[in-house]
Amino acid sequence: MIYAIVNIKDKQFKLIENKYVYVPHISVNVGEKILLNQVFLFSKEGKLFLGDPFLEKINVIIEIMEHIKGKKIFIFKKKRRKGYKVKNGFRPLFSKIKIVSFLEK
């Protein structure tokens, strides 16, 4: 099995070829392909390659499939015995990506 652990928007994701992953919103149009060059770890046929901090010779090509909103997250603040209550919330944005291929130089 071939997989890589990459950095996308300061979060680490394990990417497997031809699989879908939801990542924080990437500001690129749907259908476009992106080259990711911040690869921490790459595994191919049982061999591990570790970067220090990144691997220079490995890149990952991903395709943006769609942009979606996640479930609503509620933020509730309260101070005891003061009558202070505030309720807010938001829906985070995600991008669904498909891993197209791994490029080895």
Side-chain angles (χ1 to χ4, degrees):
M1 180 166 104
I2 301 174
Y3 68 90
I5 296 179
V6 300
N7 183 26
I8 300 173
K9 293 242 180 163
D10 294 330
K11 295 189 178 177
Q12 296 176 13
F13 293 93
K14 181 178 179 180
L15 303 181
I16 302 170
E17 200 166 26
N18 295 322
K19 298 280 183 179
Y20 299 99
V21 180
Y22 291 96
V23 298
H25 183 73
I26 299 172
S27 302
V28 178
N29 293 332
V30 173
E32 288 190 31
K33 294 185 179 177
I34 302 173
L35 184 75
L36 300 177
N37 58 1
Q38 294 186 342
V39 179
F40 293 115
L41 181 137
F42 182 70
S43 175
K44 182 177 183 179
E45 300 165 0
K47 293 182 181 178
L48 281 178
F49 302 97
L50 281 172
D52 186 22
F54 303 118
L55 291 167
E56 302 293 328
K57 298 184 179 185
I58 308 291
N59 292 323
V60 181
I61 297 177
I62 62 170
E63 181 180 355
I64 306 293
M65 301 306 288
E66 64 178 323
H67 300 298
I68 60 168
K69 282 187 174 183
K71 292 187 176 181
K72 185 168 251 190
I73 296 173
F74 294 104
I75 294 100
F76 184 73
K77 299 178 183 178
K78 180 180 178 181
K79 295 191 177 175
R80 297 190 319 170
R81 299 184 295 272
K82 307 290 185 221
Y84 174 77
K85 288 191 232 177
V86 175
K87 181 179 175 185
N88 282 321
F90 70 97
R91 291 181 67 186
L93 297 173
F94 294 104
S95 294
K96 181 180 179 182
I97 63 170
K98 179 182 179 186
I99 295 79
V100 177
S101 65
F102 297 103
L103 291 178
E104 301 175 55
K105 296 178 186 174

